[in-house]
């Protein structure tokens, strides 16, 4: 059993919005923190080639990305358990400390080994705090405000994609790559302090008995090793690549089902399909997105700047869709929006694939990919709302963790498999390689349409 300082009835009758005096500081602080996590992820991706060269650490380049991805998987499970046992405040503060501490270590690192260690610490902190933030929404915001706050979270992830890489590039080119790591803590600390008064509403959470590092945490470690091997193996070649991918995939397949709700892989009605769809939408959208700029530059001759425009357009459409889903009095059910969103993603991938044909104007692909952005912006906030709606108060941590785990595990698996297939096929036929690279995410989007229909409880 749990208790909070604020009665549930008071939450449902409060007429303020997410920026009303009661919620303003908490909303601003949480969205700022989400935005900084997203910005850091994109900025580091831009800066890492320079970092690896400066620290003579090219051999550890893949681990600098796979390490935090793997540690984040473990942290998501730990944060979910911790939030359900003790409330979300502790994992939120600990996660923030680990995240900022890892950034400082990486920013001051004298060697690539130290930088990778900092990245792993940072990834662990990111996993802790992102899950805890979702539980904070479930416990401190009434149900009618959750679509708005999750729409704001989605915008917090999307907006950095518009400016993050460019800002990081300018910093690396004209100043020092270390600023990319060290600037975020300087901004994040005020955002965290702003949140403190709002989090006081959750201070009366009644602790429950239970182990933090239980068998689920051990399964998460095993799955994280699989994710790390997938990520690292995907960047190798020859027999080593095959061996690492097989072992990594076996680890994910063996342990991921233990971390997700029963029925996730068979699209069980309600929460299992919500969790499954979170993985499908992430893998479909991001799995196709990584190949689109590559195809536009190599096959259609666009400059990197123009190829990046396609991602900017989709980011804007994602933001617009998220804003719309945050509005009250929506005309359709969650299930209808989810199915429509997955259809838009499928159409966006199909339209972008058409630009492989030189007779199809590139503008068609750019505008078509905006459909994918609309779909992602429709689906992600809806799934976040449903995850909390289908969770008891002492299950919000575990279920929020499961949704984000589904996202991370599915995306890592599809990127590793898709990237390896592309690398194997591209020397023989570029067209075939791109068709496979886009075909796999398209197939997942098609499955996602069915999963969207089954997210409604009692659906057939």
């Amino acid at each position: 059993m749990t208790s909070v300082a604020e009665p549930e009835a008071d939450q449902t009758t409060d007429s303020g919005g997410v920026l009303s005096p009661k919620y303003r500081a908490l909303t601003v602080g949480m969205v700022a923190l989400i935005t900084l996590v997203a910005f850091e992820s994109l900025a580091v991706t831009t800066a890492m080639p320079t970092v690896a060269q400066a620290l003579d650490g090219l051999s550890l380049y893949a681990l600098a990305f796979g390490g935090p991805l793997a540690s984040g998987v473990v942290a998501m499970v730990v944060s979910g358990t911790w939030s359900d046992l003790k409330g979300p405040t502790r994992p939120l503060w600990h996660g923030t400390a680990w995240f900022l501490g890892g950034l400082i270590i990486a920013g001051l690192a004298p060697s690539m080994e130290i930088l990778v260690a900092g990245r792993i610490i940072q990834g662990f902190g990111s996993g802790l705090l992102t899950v805890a933030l979702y539980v904070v929404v479930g416990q401190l915001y009434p149900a009618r405000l959750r679509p708005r706050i999750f729409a704001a979270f989605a915008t917090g992830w999307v907006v950095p994609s518009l400016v993050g890489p460019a800002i990081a590039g300018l910093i690396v080119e004209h100043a020092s790559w270390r600023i990319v790591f060290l600037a975020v803590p300087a901004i994040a600390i005020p955002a965290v302090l702003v949140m403190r008064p709002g989090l006081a509403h959750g201070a009366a959470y009644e602790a429950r008995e239970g182990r933090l590092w239980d068998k689920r945490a051990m399964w998460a470690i095993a799955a994280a090793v699989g994710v790390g091997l997938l990520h690292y193996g995907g960047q190798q070649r020859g027999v080593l690549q095959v061996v690492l991918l097989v072992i990594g995939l076996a680890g994910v397949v063996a342990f991921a089902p233990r971390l997700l709700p029963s029925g996730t892989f068979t699209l069980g009605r309600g929460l299992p399909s919500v969790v499954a769809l979170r993985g499908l939408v992430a893998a479909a959208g991001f799995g196709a997105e990584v190949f689109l700029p590559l195809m536009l530059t190599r096959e259609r001759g666009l400059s990197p700047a123009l190829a990046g425009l396609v991602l900017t357009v989709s980011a804007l459409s994602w933001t617009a869709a998220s804003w719309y889903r945050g509005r009250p009095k929506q005309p359709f059910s969650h299930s209808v929006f989810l199915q429509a969103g997955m259809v838009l993603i499928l159409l966006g991938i199909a339209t972008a694939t058409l630009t492989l044909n030189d007779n199809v104007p590139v503008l068609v692909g750019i505008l078509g990919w905006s459909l994918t952005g609309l779909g992602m912006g429709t689906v992600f906030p809806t799934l976040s709302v449903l995850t909390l709606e289908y969770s008891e108060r002492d299950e919000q941590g575990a279920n929020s963790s499961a949704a984000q785990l589904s996202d991370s595990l599915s995306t890592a698996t599809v990127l590793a498999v898709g990237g390896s297939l592309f690398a194997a096929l591209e020397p023989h036929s570029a067209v075939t390689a791109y068709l496979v690279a886009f075909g796999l995410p398209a197939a997942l989007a098609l499955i996602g349409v069915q999963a969207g229909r089954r997210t409604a409880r009692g659906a057939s």
Side-chain angles (χ1 to χ4, degrees), residues 284 288 292 295 342-357 360 364-365 368-369 371-372 435 438-439 441-443 445:
L292 189 54
M295 185 261 288
M342 295 310 298
V343 168
L344 287 171
I345 292 171
L346 181 59
L347 290 175
I349 295 173
T351 305
T353 306
L354 291 177
T355 56
L356 274 169
N357 187 329
V360 177
V364 171
W369 191 248
L371 297 177
T372 298
L435 288 176
F438 290 124

Side-chain angles (χ1 to χ4, degrees), residues 283-284 287-288 291 346 349-350 353 356 414 418 421-422 431-447:
F291 292 103
L346 181 59
I349 295 173
T353 306
L356 274 169
V414 168
L421 290 174
F422 180 86
V431 172
T432 301
Y434 284 111
L435 288 176
V436 171
F438 290 124
L440 179 57
L444 295 176
L446 187 59
I447 297 172

